[in-house]
Amino acid sequence: MALRLVADFDLGKDVLPWLRAQRAVSEASEAGSGGADVLENDYESLRVLNVERNGNIIYTYKDDKGNVIFGLYDCQTRQNELLYTFEKDLQVFSCSVNSERTLLAASLVQSTKERKRNELQPGSKCLTLLVEIHPVNNVKVLKAVDSYIWVQFLYPHVESHPLPENHLLLISEEKYIEQLRIHVAQEDGNRVVIKNSGHLPRDRIAEDFVWAQWDMSEQRLYYIDLKKSRSILKCIQFYADESYNLMFEVPLDVSLSNSGFKLVNFGCDYHQDREKLSKHLTLCVFTNRTGSLCVCYSPKCASWEQITYSVFYIHKGHSKTFTTSLENVGSHVTKGITFLNLDYYVAVYLPGHFFHLLNVQHPDLICHSLFLTGNNEMIDMLPHCPLQSLSGSLVLDCCSGKLYRALLSQSSLLQLLQNTSLDCEKMAALHCALYCGQGTRFLEGQIIQWISENVSACHSFDLIQEFIIASSYWSVYSETSNMDKLLPHSSVLTWNTEIPGITLVTEDIALPFMKVLNFKGYWEKLNSNLEYVKYAKPHFHYNNIVVRREWHNLISEEKTGKRRSTAYVRTILDNAIKVISNLEARNLGPRLTPLLQEEDSHQRLLMGLMVSELKDHFLRHLQGVEKKKIEQMVLDYISKLLDLICHILETSWRKHNLHSCILHFNSRGSAAEFAVFHIMTRILEATKSLFLPLPPGFHTLHTILGVHCLPLHNLLHCIDSGVLLLTETAVVRLMKDLDNTEKNEKLKFSIILRLPPLIGQKICRLWDHPMSSNIISRNHVTRLLQNYKKQPRNSMIDKSSFSVEFLPLNYFIEILTDIESSNQALYPFEGHDNVDAEFVEEAALKHTTMLLGL
């Protein structure tokens, strides 16, 4: 399945064996076999109460006498520890222990019988107690009321030394939250006691709220209060120095007025009636290290024929509301929608019905999120118990007592990519898989292998183009937190095709009002995202428009011989050398394909221009990042683009078992060569629209395969339409490799006519043939006559100086001879190319002889 749950903790495996061992030691002297039955009863009452920030898990169970026992499982040492025992028949529903394990806070419900005889606080339904447990000593009653109270110790970021003050949150069913400051001191060695336990200072930090969520990892409290029937989400951040700040307020379009009171992640919620869970609303807040802030909301569901849920992408300034119809609604749905935080993604699923993997960082296009419905086996394999999403992709199954780490499965995503027939699922699976792999060579190799065999599998987007852009993005994504704003992660800018099984409505939402001025860490990134939403019009994503324009200017200058300063061009070409050096350093083994081995000045110019433009782009928007680091990021990104192209081509080359002998023109094309030619053509199409550089040597190899595989008229059509680009290296090799048969002469002549003038003249000198002499002569005459002014001449011609008596030709040659003499007098140091009037006369006679069939 796309979602993989890896168990980090299991009550049955990590706690129960220890309990049995402890019981075996204590009852070693007792006879009989009743112990095993007692242990099974203990196991029935064994359950998880809370997961603290450091990963330690608090659990409870009742022994055979009805005593309530608290234990702790240390996730680092993987050892269990007994914390405290209440010798009363009480029901625990909330518990927390401080980071030093010296204080235990617990809320317990008393039975009617216990209320009457309880010496701690008779008559109260709920007791909230604070216990000294290092060693076990005093018990203080914090609350004795008829409403439920939840407890949660704050965990400071600095845990290297104990703090003299502990802070405890009390969350009341009466809709207020208090913070208690508990001073402790050491006495008689290591004994820890509470100072001034008769009066513990307390602050009321929230009132009149209807919903609250605790983020154990980041020590944040989210809560919603109602103002004039509007739901206002607020967040309090607790700091290492025990201070706290209200960070933001933002209105939410959610209906909570009649929903009662709900808490999220304040321990395991056994108090709530599980049977009614599916009919209650679900609301939770998810964040990640990139500064994202998502609110996931599913309203109360009166009917299961249609389900609606919303995700507020607060860091993007919009929300998306999804509606899906359930199949097989005849079967009663007893579980509600589950939202899981998977860092870069949010998973939404209803077991047995649908699974939706939402892209948090790039939510604009629905095709970048994966939606599966129906009887897909990936849906059926998901847990059917209610899951509780904690921080850091941790997932708690309170029913089974298991703590999982939720991960995306690369193998399942690759399988989906290969097997699905829907373009939207291919797109989403590709992006999910690349996110999981983050540029690993093995994953890229698997995807490239599939692409090379299914290059035409997608109709809505270019598969090669999407893979190159997405994989290159992930290769440098971790270098800076703003990379998602500066580089494109996808080649697809719009998506108008419907996703089967789901409808979508997108709405703009209000941005949070930040209550503080100085931001650090996550809050700095969130504020940066919000500023981007406010002011980044248009978006900052890099494109090659400027590079395209400048490259065309340089090529035009090259054709006319009027290139700008040599220093500028040299700088551009030096950039290309750096890219190729960086690329070669990435590749440890020898390359099978003859790429990166020739100059190919046009591709090197494009490469160097992209380096220059991308570096300027980063320098404009990455304030505070070292210039040297930016330069390396640019080289890494462009090197990755080229490396992926080489990798695709090498995979196809290896698959078809091609050899270096195909690099000559005097061989015939095979089916294998045609397959490689086809994949190279698709690579060219993918890079052309985005104006991306290709590895030097690509066009030469492409042309060689084209000559091998295509009939002449198809070959010339590909050249004329820009599918094949003639390089000097390819044409020189063609002239040398092919003999002058009639077929080859026609090919050579057709290609020479399509070359730029400067290269064409150079190539003609390599071909010892009347056709090339004719072309050279024509070019020479054109150059001589372009500024010729007719002068009065003697009509008499000295016939003795000409080998053939043909007056028109004799007259023309005499004119050329005079122009040459004049040019030689004016420009005595002008280079001589062994072409003169005599050469022109000889070429003209040969050409006439050929035309007359003599």
Side-chain angles (χ1 to χ4, degrees):
M1 58 182 176
L3 184 64
R4 186 162 56 96
L5 299 180
V6 179
D8 277 3
F9 169 81
D10 185 345
L11 273 177
K13 295 180 179 178
D14 296 312
V15 176
L16 189 60
W18 178 77
L19 291 179
R20 286 174 173 159
Q22 294 292 106
R23 182 68 62 86
V25 171
S26 64
E27 297 183 353
S29 60
E30 296 184 10
S33 58
D37 295 332
V38 172
L39 281 174
E40 293 305 319
N41 293 333
D42 290 350
Y43 179 61
E44 290 178 5
S45 64
L46 181 64
R47 56 190 176 88
V48 173
L49 287 175
N50 202 357
V51 181
E52 299 289 8
R53 184 187 176 207
N54 54 15
N56 292 343
I57 298 165
I58 304 172
Y59 55 87
T60 183
Y61 66 96
K62 289 186 178 182
D63 63 13
D64 54 338
K65 299 177 182 178
N67 298 326
V68 179
I69 301 173
F70 293 91
L72 181 143
Y73 177 80
D74 190 318
C75 67
Q76 299 296 326
T77 63
R78 307 192 76 81
Q79 300 293 318
N80 287 277
E81 175 185 345
L82 181 64
L83 295 178
Y84 191 73
T85 301
F86 278 108
E87 295 180 353
K88 304 290 180 183
D89 186 12
L90 303 171
Q91 186 68 37
V92 186
F93 68 89
S94 181
C95 180
S96 184
V97 66
N98 65 346
S99 57
E100 296 82 23
R101 303 186 201 173
T102 57
L103 299 176
L104 175 75
S107 285
L108 308 99
V109 179
Q110 301 184 93
S111 64
T112 305
K113 183 179 179 181
E114 283 292 330
R115 288 189 216 176
K116 295 179 180 179
R117 64 182 187 180
N118 193 343
E119 65 273 13
L120 289 173
Q121 196 70 37
S124 300
K125 176 183 176 182
C126 177
L127 287 178
T128 302
L129 308 176
L130 181 63
V131 186
E132 298 170 355
I133 59 173
H134 190 75
V136 173
N137 193 28
N138 293 325
V139 177
K140 175 178 174 55
V141 178
L142 298 177
K143 294 278 186 180
V145 291
D146 287 335
S147 57
Y148 288 92
I149 303 288
W150 286 260
V151 293
Q152 179 61 58
F153 274 105
L154 299 183
Y155 274 58
H157 286 267
V158 181
E159 298 180 355
S160 57
H161 56 85
L163 294 174
E165 187 174 82
N166 287 268
H167 288 217
L168 176 68
L169 295 181
L170 300 181
I171 303 91
S172 172
E173 192 179 22
E174 296 179 354
K175 301 183 180 180
Y176 67 83
I177 301 175
E178 290 182 338
Q179 180 183 220
L180 271 64
R181 299 194 297 276
I182 305 165
H183 288 267
V184 295
Q186 287 190 349
E187 296 180 356
D188 301 331
N190 293 327
R191 181 182 177 191
V192 177
V193 297
I194 302 171
K195 295 175 63 178
N196 301 323
S197 60
H199 177 71
L200 297 177
R202 62 185 66 199
D203 305 317
R204 185 158 292 197
I205 60 176
E207 289 183 305
D208 299 326
F209 70 93
V210 294
W211 171 95
Q213 175 179 318
W214 177 244
D215 185 333
M216 65 168 185
S217 177
E218 303 299 333
Q219 299 288 283
R220 298 185 194 125
L221 173 67
Y222 301 95
Y223 64 96
I224 293 177
D225 59 23
L226 299 178
K227 291 183 178 179
K228 296 180 180 180
S229 299
R230 292 188 70 195
S231 299
I232 307 296
L233 174 67
K234 301 180 180 181
C235 176
I236 293 176
Q237 175 72 66
F238 296 93
Y239 298 103
D241 61 359
E242 306 292 341
S243 64
Y244 63 90
N245 275 328
L246 177 63
M247 300 304 297
F248 69 78
E249 295 181 356
V250 61
L252 290 179
D253 185 16
V254 297
S255 178
L256 295 176
S257 56
N258 299 319
S259 62
F261 171 83
K262 185 172 178 65
L263 297 178
V264 178
N265 290 349
F266 285 94
C268 287
D269 190 8
Y270 292 96
H271 169 61
Q272 190 177 38
D273 187 353
R274 294 285 177 190
E275 292 300 320
K276 298 178 181 179
L277 181 65
S278 61
K279 297 180 181 179
H280 288 192
L281 68 83
T282 304
L283 192 148
C284 48
V285 176
F286 294 145
T287 63
N288 69 20
R289 63 185 181 277
T290 65
S292 71
L293 175 60
C294 293
V295 179
C296 302
Y297 169 67
S298 175
K300 291 182 179 180
C301 189
S303 170
W304 285 108
E305 293 181 357
Q306 200 172 65
I307 285 187
T308 299
Y309 54 94
S310 301
V311 178
F312 297 84
Y313 300 96
I314 294 177
H315 59 295
K316 295 291 184 180
H318 65 257
S319 68
K320 292 184 182 293
T321 299
F322 304 93
T323 303
T324 181
S325 299
L326 298 188
E327 299 178 3
N328 302 321
V329 290
S331 59
H332 182 59
V333 181
T334 58
K335 307 298 186 296
I337 282 182
T338 298
F339 295 104
L340 300 179
N341 185 8
L342 303 177
D343 192 24
Y344 201 84
Y345 287 86
V346 166
V348 187
Y349 80 91
L350 187 64
H353 293 277
F354 71 86
F355 175 81
H356 200 175
L357 200 57
L358 293 163
N359 192 319
V360 170
Q361 207 65 21
H362 300 283
D364 297 336
L365 300 184
I366 193 173
C367 61
H368 294 139
S369 299
L370 178 63
F371 182 78
L372 302 175
T373 186
N375 297 320
N376 193 300
E377 62 178 11
M378 298 174 75
I379 299 173
D380 294 334
M381 294 174 68
L382 292 168
H384 284 233
C385 292
L387 297 180
Q388 194 172 329
S389 185
L390 307 178
S391 303
S393 299
L394 289 177
V395 177
L396 181 61
D397 183 349
C398 293
C399 298
S400 65
K402 294 180 180 180
L403 182 68
Y404 299 100
R405 191 166 300 278
L407 305 170
L408 292 175
S409 170
Q410 283 187 31
S411 58
S412 296
L413 290 167
L414 285 174
Q415 185 179 359
L416 178 64
L417 174 65
Q418 296 165 5
N419 295 335
T420 182
S421 59
L422 298 177
D423 282 3
C424 57
E425 291 184 2
K426 284 188 174 71
M427 170 78 79
L430 175 64
H431 280 270
C432 291
L434 289 173
Y435 158 71
C436 294
Q438 302 267 339
T440 57
R441 194 75 174 177
F442 177 73
L443 174 67
E444 288 175 352
Q446 289 183 298
I447 295 175
I448 287 172
Q449 184 68 43
W450 177 75
I451 289 176
S452 65
E453 298 170 357
N454 301 272
V455 69
S456 302
C458 298
H459 306 287
S460 304
F461 64 97
D462 189 310
L463 192 55
I464 293 178
Q465 191 178 75
E466 190 68 14
F467 169 70
I468 290 173
I469 293 297
S471 190
S472 300
Y473 167 83
W474 281 113
S475 70
V476 296
Y477 170 78
S478 60
E479 297 294 331
T480 174
S481 60
N482 291 322
M483 197 58 76
D484 63 301
K485 305 179 186 68
L486 302 179
L487 286 175
H489 83 291
S490 172
S491 63
V492 177
L493 301 179
T494 58
W495 187 273
N496 299 319
T497 308
E498 291 185 0
I499 307 297
I502 193 168
T503 58
L504 165 67
V505 176
T506 302
E507 296 177 306
D508 291 335
I509 60 174
L511 296 178
F513 176 67
M514 304 305 290
K515 308 288 283 187
V516 296
L517 299 177
N518 297 320
F519 302 101
K520 292 182 179 179
Y522 165 82
W523 298 109
E524 182 180 9
K525 295 174 183 177
L526 173 61
N527 190 61
S528 173
N529 288 334
L530 297 176
E531 294 293 307
Y532 182 77
V533 173
K534 291 179 187 176
Y535 305 116
K537 308 292 182 184
H539 294 316
F540 296 154
H541 282 164
Y542 172 80
N543 61 65
N544 268 342
I545 293 176
V546 175
V547 172
R548 184 194 300 263
R549 183 171 62 246
E550 183 66 7
W551 185 82
H552 282 301
N553 289 340
L554 287 173
I555 299 304
S556 299
E557 292 169 5
E558 181 186 80
K559 290 179 179 178
T560 58
K562 299 178 181 179
R563 177 157 288 183
R564 66 189 73 180
S565 70
T566 307
Y568 172 74
V569 177
R570 187 184 302 117
T571 301
I572 298 301
L573 293 176
D574 286 345
N575 288 340
I577 292 173
K578 293 177 183 176
V579 171
I580 293 175
S581 298
N582 196 55
L583 175 57
E584 293 289 25
R586 288 169 171 264
N587 190 65
L588 301 178
R591 293 193 182 276
L592 297 175
T593 52
L595 300 178
L596 310 172
Q597 297 174 9
E598 66 176 76
E599 285 301 318
D600 198 348
S601 60
H602 289 184
Q603 288 306 310
R604 288 177 181 261
L605 282 174
L606 179 54
M607 213 181 296
L609 286 170
M610 189 173 176
V611 170
S612 180
E613 184 61 26
L614 186 55
K615 183 167 66 175
D616 290 345
H617 178 70
F618 281 174
L619 288 171
R620 281 194 299 270
H621 300 296
L622 289 179
Q623 304 296 328
V625 181
E626 293 181 4
K627 185 178 180 181
K628 187 175 181 180
K629 182 178 179 180
I630 286 178
E631 290 176 350
Q632 189 58 49
M633 283 193 298
V634 170
L635 292 178
D636 288 342
Y637 180 73
I638 300 176
S639 298
K640 185 65 177 181
L641 285 170
L642 295 170
D643 185 51
L644 290 170
I645 294 169
C646 292
H647 196 175
I648 294 171
L649 186 52
E650 292 221 342
T651 299
S652 184
W653 192 278
R654 187 181 297 108
K655 175 187 174 184
H656 296 288
N657 198 28
L658 296 187
H659 303 285
S660 58
C661 62
I662 74 159
L663 302 179
H664 299 284
F665 283 93
N666 52 6
S667 62
R668 300 184 63 181
S670 62
E673 290 178 36
F674 187 83
V676 175
F677 173 78
H678 177 65
I679 201 82
M680 292 187 75
T681 304
R682 295 302 298 265
I683 292 172
L684 184 65
E685 291 174 358
T687 57
K688 193 172 183 179
S689 60
L690 298 176
F691 213 71
L692 299 176
L694 289 162
F698 182 92
H699 288 300
T700 295
L701 180 58
H702 195 205
T703 300
I704 293 173
L705 292 174
V707 172
H708 286 183
C709 300
L710 299 178
L712 181 59
H713 64 280
N714 293 97
L715 176 70
L716 298 179
H717 176 73
C718 287
I719 294 172
D720 294 338
S721 60
V723 174
L724 288 174
L725 298 181
L726 297 173
T727 64
E728 185 176 332
T729 303
V731 179
V732 168
R733 187 174 295 173
L734 181 142
M735 294 296 166
K736 291 181 177 179
D737 288 352
L738 296 183
D739 56 18
N740 289 329
T741 62
E742 182 179 350
K743 179 181 178 182
N744 289 344
E745 285 180 354
K746 189 175 181 181
L747 169 63
K748 290 180 179 181
F749 184 66
S750 300
I751 286 180
I752 286 176
L753 290 178
R754 287 164 170 79
L755 292 174
L758 292 177
I759 298 179
Q761 293 177 27
K762 185 176 179 180
I763 297 301
C764 283
R765 286 166 176 75
L766 299 175
W767 186 23
D768 184 15
H769 191 274
M771 284 187 181
S772 63
S773 299
N774 188 23
I775 294 171
I776 293 171
S777 300
R778 288 175 182 273
N779 292 333
H780 181 70
V781 170
T782 301
R783 183 171 61 84
L784 290 177
L785 295 181
Q786 60 186 355
N787 296 318
Y788 171 67
K789 294 181 180 179
K790 187 175 182 181
Q791 301 292 335
R793 302 179 58 82
N794 184 359
S795 60
M796 297 301 293
I797 298 176
D798 183 8
K799 300 176 183 179
S800 62
S801 61
F802 297 99
S803 57
V804 176
E805 186 178 334
F806 182 53
L807 290 179
L809 177 61
N810 298 156
Y811 182 74
F812 180 62
I813 296 302
E814 187 175 343
I815 292 174
L816 294 181
T817 303
D818 290 345
I819 296 173
E820 288 175 350
S821 300
S822 301
N823 288 347
Q824 185 65 27
L826 292 173
Y827 309 105
F829 301 105
E830 190 178 50
H832 196 275
D833 55 5
N834 297 321
V835 180
D836 54 16
E838 185 178 350
F839 180 89
V840 172
E841 180 186 20
E842 183 180 349
L845 290 172
K846 286 183 178 179
H847 186 63
T848 303
T849 303
M850 289 175 59
L851 291 176
L852 295 176
L854 302 176

